Amino acid sequence: MAMVEKNGSTIGYVARHFLLCLFLFTTLLFALSCYFVLRSTAHNRSTFQSKSFIHDPTLKNGVKKDDCRCADDEKRIGPLKVYMYDMDPEFHFGLLNWKPQEGGGGSVWPDVHKYIPPYPGGLNLQHSIEYWLTLDLLASEYPNRDTIAAAKRVYNSTEADVIFVPFFSSLSYNRFSKMNPHQKTSRNKDLQGKLVTFLTAQEEWKRSGGRDHVVLAHHPNSMLDARNKLFPAMFILSDFGRYPPTVANVEKDVIAPYKHVIKTYENDSSGFDSRPILLYFQGAIYRKDGGFVRQELFYLLQDEKDVHFSFGSVRNGGINKASQGMHTSKFCLNIAGDTPSSNRLFDAIASHCVPVIISDDIELPFEDVIDYSEFSVFVRTSDALKENFLVNLIRGITKEEWTRMWNRLKEVEKFYEFHFPSKVDDAVQMIWQAIARKVPGVKMRIHKSRRYSGSVSDTGKESRWSSLIPRSFW
């Protein structure tokens, strides 16, 4: 009996030690497994960072120092590929009284190596986007171009990212929207009718339903007759003030800057103390629609000693006066007028005068890559119309805060300057980049539109694929 008890205790002792050893072994194995897994993931993570961020001297904390453009990826894949229709000059440079030379090979385009048709000055310039983009496409064929092009003209539409429509719609509105006594319709309206007929007959339009077409309508009143017929296209606009959301919206369209009309403040060595005017506005005070706020603010601010708020126009040296006023002001008002946007914002940027934006429905150019709060002050209309609110807000901004915004203005002003040929990150290239960022969405909409094109046609008849589907398939 004693022998049995002794053997039983020995077996129990061995079993306990065996279980303990097994536990220690499995624990050690688990720890080693975790170690190797963590080491593997850490290695992959550091490898990814080294390729994408660490060795790029233009990056800081994984963010581009310039922090306002997404051009690295664009540079890797090359410029935006743009197919441009060879439309009759009556739609573009013919509006500037340019005519093809006899014996010039039948080209509908001027040879921009030798001659660039001039664009009219004054307020016409502010909506001249179509002119600059068209010139840039023509210049993209330069064999020895100094700067990298953001867009490249291609001659096979199936290779293109977008289809460019070279209609100078803003110029057409500004110069030809009034009817002569012998006309039944204005030249502007007639051109829009011709444009719709031309586009909807093109294979490129039929292929995508117009979704990959770029149509310029920067002036709020341009394309009034054609916009509802061409709405699938990507519009280049100044704002959405006169468009229903079914025709134009921020998802499919691009907001482009105005071309400023006041002089650029070059070699600006001014500062907070050398700009005596606190708040500046000069322009039309009595406006329609949302512009009522201008009149109300005029009454609220007219007696403030360091605020300049007056009527002004381009006549009698108005542009020079505005340039001088903005260059000597700390803050410049950008107030909604007939539409949410105005050129005054871009005049302020060119003047390094901190914009004070009072326009609740405004959409801003390139806002997906530029943070306007770094160099602008936004005020809700309801707050701006409260007595003393606006003046107290502006007076409460310190010299250090203003200087920070002023310095940022000098950094971002290049994004709103138009050049020919375009320069890296100027307004022309920024617009092309904004269009390029819309291309994936354009392709998605085109692909979605084809979902059922292989099953039932628009007329309700069976498609060409139906004969390939077995009768018992369903």
Side-chain angles (χ1 to χ4, degrees), residues 339-353:
T339 61
S341 68
S342 79
N343 194 31
R344 209 162 276 101
L345 169 62
F346 308 99
D347 286 343
I349 292 173
S351 303
H352 310 152
C353 180

Side-chain angles (χ1 to χ4, degrees), residues 204 214 266 317 382 387 397 429:
E204 288 82 6
V214 176
E266 297 179 350
S382 58
E387 189 172 1
I397 297 175
Q429 294 209 4

